[in-house]
């Protein structure tokens, strides 16, 4: 199976939204607060078209495979600024990574991560590292990221009030 990645363009909006619906469905299995919210589609499309298409500091990458008409994976990447106190310099952040279930385990996520790493390293971004969040009970995602060379560095705790 040949996998290609590319930067999304305005006309990819509806395909990306379909993938994000799959992502929110996946996340909501672990925590229902991650379900798709009302007006999410319209809000995200505006954000995508105005902030991510042709942006120096944000992008959406799509994965396509031979023989498929629609993208099978998506990744949103952005550059985050320096922390005001810590020595956490500009760094990359992946705000979502999703691969259709029938294509998982075939290297699609790894190709998206590799493409994001290339994008993060290029000028004007030139960041030294990137981060991605995984929900605590999503062991499959954590194992995939660790097998791709990423290390866990923080734990986030919460108390529901």
């Amino acid at each position: 199976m040949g996998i290609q990645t590319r930067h999304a363009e305005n006309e990819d909006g509806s395909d990306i939204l379909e993938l994000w619906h799959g992502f929110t469905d996946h996340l909501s299995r672990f925590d229902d607060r991650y379900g798709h919210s009302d007006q999410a589609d319209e809000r995200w499309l505006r954000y995508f078209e105005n902030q991510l298409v042709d942006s120096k500091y944000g992008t959406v990458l799509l994965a396509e495979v031979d023989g498929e008409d629609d993208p099978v994976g998506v990744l949103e990447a952005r550059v985050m600024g320096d922390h005001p106190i810590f020595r956490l310099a500009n760094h990359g952040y992946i705000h979502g990574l999703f691969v259709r279930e029938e294509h998982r385990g075939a290297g699609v996520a790894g190709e998206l991560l590799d493409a994001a790493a290339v994008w993060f390293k290029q000028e004007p971004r030139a960041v030294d590292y990137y981060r991605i969040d995984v929900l605590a009970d999503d062991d499959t995602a954590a194992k995939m990221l660790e097998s791709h060379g990423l290390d866990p560095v923080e734990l986030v705790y919460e108390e529901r009030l």
Side-chain angles (χ1 to χ4, degrees):
M1 164 175 60
I3 304 168
Q4 301 84 37
T5 61
R6 65 177 177 84
H7 295 273
E9 300 174 5
N10 281 336
E11 56 269 12
D12 294 312
S14 61
D15 287 336
I16 296 168
L17 283 176
E18 185 180 330
L19 290 163
W20 283 149
H21 279 272
F23 187 50
T24 58
D25 289 347
H26 172 79
L27 294 176
S28 66
R29 293 180 201 153
F30 301 99
D31 184 334
D32 63 359
R33 296 175 295 169
Y34 289 91
H36 217 73
S37 66
D38 295 338
Q39 280 105 42
D41 289 358
E42 295 82 14
R43 289 176 62 207
W44 191 86
L45 277 174
R46 278 194 309 274
Y47 162 70
F48 168 66
E49 292 169 354
N50 295 318
Q51 303 278 333
L52 296 174
V53 175
D54 297 325
S55 171
K56 291 179 190 174
Y57 301 106
T59 192
V60 173
L61 291 164
L62 294 174
E64 299 170 326
V65 297
D66 296 340
E68 294 279 336
D69 292 332
D70 297 321
V72 300
V74 63
L75 178 152
E76 180 183 326
R78 285 188 261 158
V79 174
M80 308 303 288
D82 288 339
H83 192 280
I85 297 171
F86 304 122
R87 289 179 293 175
L88 294 172
N90 287 346
H91 62 282
Y93 218 97
I94 294 176
H95 289 273
L97 169 61
F98 178 75
V99 176
R100 294 183 193 275
E101 195 165 344
E102 63 272 20
H103 292 282
R104 292 182 191 154
V108 175
E111 291 290 330
L112 285 165
L113 289 168
D114 290 345
V118 167
W119 182 80
F120 281 134
K121 290 181 202 175
Q122 294 171 337
E123 291 292 339
R125 294 164 296 278
V127 300
D128 294 326
Y129 65 97
Y130 69 87
R131 291 183 166 188
I132 182 171
D133 294 333
V134 174
L135 293 180
D137 293 332
D138 195 346
D139 296 331
T140 302
K143 287 177 186 172
M144 183 278 300
L145 293 169
E146 289 176 27
S147 73
H148 199 73
L150 282 78
D151 295 315
V153 294
E154 284 187 29
L155 297 174
V156 176
Y157 293 86
E158 73 176 31
E159 178 182 4
R160 292 196 189 198
L161 304 174

